[in-house]
Amino acid sequence: MPRTIIEPFRIKSVEPIEWTTRQERGQLLRAAYYNLFLLPAEDVLIDLLTDSGTGAMSTAQWAAIMEGDESYAGSKSYDHFRSSIQDIFGYRHVIPTHQGRAAERILFSVMCKKGDVVPNNTHFDTTRANIEFVGAEAVDLVIAEGKQPSLIHPFKGNMDVQALEDLIQRVGRERIPLVMLTVTNNSGGGQPVSMENVRRVSTVCRQNRIPLYFDACRFAENAYFIKEREEGYEDRPPKEIAQEMFRYGDGCTMSAKKDGMANIGGFLCTNDDLLAQQEKNLLILTEGYPTYGGLAGRDLEAIAVGVQEALHEDYLRYRIVSTAYLGNHIAEQGVPIVQPPGGHAVYIDARAFLPHIPPSEFPGVALAAELYLEGGIRSVEIGTLMFGAAAKMDLVRLAIPRRVYTQSHIDYVVEIILEVWKKREQIKGMKLSYEAPFLRHFTARLEPIEQAVAQPA
Ligand code: F0G
């Protein structure tokens, strides 16, 4: 096979992106208080804020959209949606929701109560928040290797199985209504979970009669990592790998904005008839009737096609290779990143990039602002601004939207990061001028800390 891996698509519709001058970007940054969430998206050249809902749909998805059946109840589009999802995930009940966090809220409202404990490899923010909202405790049990940014390990998303057994022993299985596995582990750097780990976690769960649920947002990327890195899976199609993985669980939550290849949507699956009934009752209260759950019929169609496309091997090869390409090209020049590059994103270690800026002066925010100033690239800080003083790392995430950017865009991103790397010593820390009482990173206002200038005598 030829060595060059190409984008496995040709472009049928284009969306122009606009250049700004460095001077304009300086003004835009000041107007946005150095918080990239506050920038108008049209002033961003390459937007790597998130891979969620930002992907490009295929011709087959757009064609399916025209087939959307907008009937309130019993829509044909729901049948397409359910059968496509069941084909991969295999669960008895498929409940559509408007996005992932809606599925989480319904799942935890039905399964958890005050005092319960929910283990995960690493909870994503919305998962944690929805668990805490019902008074339960969200516990992260990722393996020790998963917490060391520069350490290379094939499955840094794995759960520490011994820690899970210890936790069950300590709090008692009655207090653990479910165990979750996030594939891939977004908060831990987009790192995969191995099939062996899924199997072992599943065995512990079954021995203790605790249901196992997947946070399945990036299930296809995880399947491809298993194919690439785990013995015995090299010749298996990604779809079969995903099907096997889901057989070890009892249900899942899903944001279709990631590996559903859609711009909106999500779902909740379970094999439990009683839970499904309770979940549907709650769904009707806030999301909608169970055959649409807050989505238009056309969205259901786009997801039905998208989840299957996400498993195409050509697509996954391009996806994983292009993310690694970005990570490896900057790492080769010394830029510190979370190793190895994840499936959907590259995470720069801002504390190591800017060692002269202490965490209290937001090195991640300073670096993200500089990447925008230098080249119009938008990334996101995952560190002290997001988590406060409790943050263990200050990372800048460059999340790659699906099927949106070509290799020359990525080459451009590499060039800009390396430019900023050369001038890293001149980058200044930041201080807050406004913060909201919770989730402050979305609206915070910051300004650079100017060095005191020595006064002439
Ligand atoms: N679980 C994981 C692992 C996620 O990454 C996300 C979203 C969700 C759940 C929630 O899904 O947004 O559809 O409600 N992650 C996005 C991101 C926002 O940028 O990483 P949602």
Side-chain angles (χ1 to χ4, degrees):
M1 210 158 113
R3 272 189 314 110
T4 307
I5 291 165
I6 61 170
E7 287 84 1
F9 48 80
R10 51 185 180 175
I11 296 165
K12 183 167 253 176
S13 180
V14 297
E15 182 183 3
I17 49 179
E18 305 281 343
W19 291 89
T20 45
T21 63
R22 191 184 175 91
Q23 196 193 357
E24 285 167 341
R25 288 194 295 277
Q27 283 161 0
L28 286 157
L29 263 179
R30 281 189 291 279
Y33 303 95
Y34 295 86
N35 181 344
L36 304 187
F37 277 107
L38 304 181
L39 278 178
E42 64 176 358
D43 295 320
V44 174
L45 188 67
I46 308 275
D47 203 344
L48 307 182
L49 181 68
T50 180
D51 66 320
S52 181
T54 52
M57 290 206 290
S58 66
T59 48
Q61 284 178 293
W62 284 111
I65 275 179
M66 287 307 294
E67 299 283 343
D69 171 359
E70 305 303 342
S71 306
Y72 190 93
S75 151
K76 184 172 77 206
S77 297
Y78 175 71
D79 294 336
H80 296 161
F81 174 82
R82 185 186 49 202
S83 64
S84 176
I85 288 164
Q86 279 178 334
D87 171 45
I88 300 164
F89 293 71
Y91 300 122
R92 190 146 60 230
H93 301 279
V94 180
I95 300 171
T97 60
H98 80 274
Q99 60 184 80
R101 64 198 73 184
E104 291 160 13
R105 192 187 64 84
I106 291 172
L107 178 72
F108 302 131
S109 304
V110 167
M111 292 192 83
C112 301
K113 58 180 186 318
K114 200 168 176 329
D116 284 348
V117 177
V118 183
N120 199 329
N121 42 0
T122 312
H123 289 278
F124 181 67
D125 330 6
T126 56
T127 326
R128 171 174 291 277
N130 275 296
I131 289 169
E132 290 172 354
F133 190 70
V134 297
E137 188 190 342
V139 177
D140 293 340
L141 298 179
V142 75
I143 55 170
E145 292 89 334
K147 295 180 215 160
Q148 290 163 258
S150 59
L151 189 112
I152 298 191
H153 180 285
F155 292 104
K156 279 174 105 173
N158 282 355
M159 182 179 273
D160 182 336
V161 181
Q162 187 58 51
L164 175 65
E165 289 187 292
D166 293 347
L167 181 79
I168 298 171
Q169 193 74 34
R170 189 156 49 79
V171 307
R173 68 164 185 77
E174 319 69 48
R175 277 181 62 201
I176 304 179
L178 74 160
V179 171
M180 286 197 95
L181 273 177
T182 304
V183 293
T184 59
N185 190 18
N186 183 11
S187 309
Q191 302 293 328
V193 177
S194 70
M195 193 71 86
E196 197 226 345
N197 190 249
V198 171
R199 220 176 278 130
R200 289 179 58 210
V201 169
S202 171
T203 304
V204 172
C205 288
R206 289 195 175 157
Q207 280 163 353
N208 289 281
R209 294 193 303 285
I210 301 172
L212 172 62
Y213 277 70
F214 292 95
D215 177 340
C217 294
R218 299 177 181 87
F219 74 96
E221 292 169 8
N222 200 90
Y224 193 74
F225 279 120
I226 289 176
K227 182 180 171 68
E228 289 275 280
R229 299 183 185 171
E230 194 163 348
E231 219 186 303
Y233 290 92
E234 36 303 80
D235 299 324
R236 301 267 301 277
K239 184 164 165 178
E240 267 182 42
I241 298 175
Q243 288 165 329
E244 179 183 338
M245 181 181 77
F246 290 124
R247 278 200 292 276
Y248 294 114
D250 302 281
C252 71
T253 58
M254 172 75 185
S255 167
K257 301 172 75 171
K258 285 85 170 173
D259 280 348
M261 299 290 217
N263 301 120
I264 195 68
F267 51 88
L268 170 58
C269 293
T270 180
N271 277 337
D272 186 315
D273 298 340
L274 183 65
L275 279 180
Q277 196 52 57
Q278 293 170 338
E279 286 163 358
K280 285 180 196 167
N281 291 343
L282 210 53
L283 187 83
I284 291 173
L285 196 64
T286 57
E287 290 280 301
Y289 189 74
T291 59
Y292 74 88
L295 294 171
R298 55 179 174 267
D299 299 326
L300 299 171
E301 295 281 0
I303 297 166
V305 176
V307 285
Q308 300 287 342
E309 288 183 353
L311 287 163
H312 290 180
E313 208 168 313
D314 284 352
Y315 158 72
L316 281 169
R317 182 181 309 113
Y318 139 78
R319 170 81 178 149
I320 301 302
V321 165
S322 61
T323 307
Y325 178 91
L326 168 58
N328 294 338
H329 276 76
I330 58 175
E332 272 166 18
Q333 301 300 317
V335 176
I337 64 164
V338 174
Q339 287 283 10
H344 69 296
V346 170
Y347 296 67
I348 302 178
D349 182 347
R351 279 188 201 172
F353 195 110
L354 301 171
H356 59 287
I357 303 180
S360 60
E361 293 178 8
F362 308 107
V365 177
L367 178 56
E370 198 66 27
L371 294 176
Y372 177 71
L373 183 67
E374 186 68 32
I377 298 166
R378 177 155 69 171
S379 52
V380 66
E381 186 251 20
I382 301 185
T384 307
L385 183 62
M386 192 177 273
F387 302 119
K392 293 190 184 68
M393 295 190 264
D394 276 284
L395 303 177
V396 169
R397 183 182 77 170
L398 304 154
I400 320 289
R402 292 170 181 77
R403 304 190 290 208
V404 169
Y405 295 116
T406 63
Q407 173 151 0
S408 64
H409 291 116
I410 301 294
D411 282 330
Y412 171 85
V413 173
V414 169
E415 180 183 332
I416 297 299
I417 294 170
L418 295 180
E419 264 325 295
V420 171
W421 176 238
K422 281 188 219 147
K423 328 182 178 163
R424 60 191 181 278
E425 283 161 17
Q426 293 157 35
I427 300 173
K428 298 187 185 106
M430 294 276 171
K431 64 176 187 226
L432 273 167
S433 59
Y434 165 77
E435 62 179 310
F438 52 86
L439 293 174
R440 64 178 182 173
H441 53 287
F442 290 119
T443 53
R445 296 176 178 183
L446 298 104
E447 58 192 76
I449 301 172
E450 298 301 334
Q451 256 80 21
V453 181
Q455 295 295 317

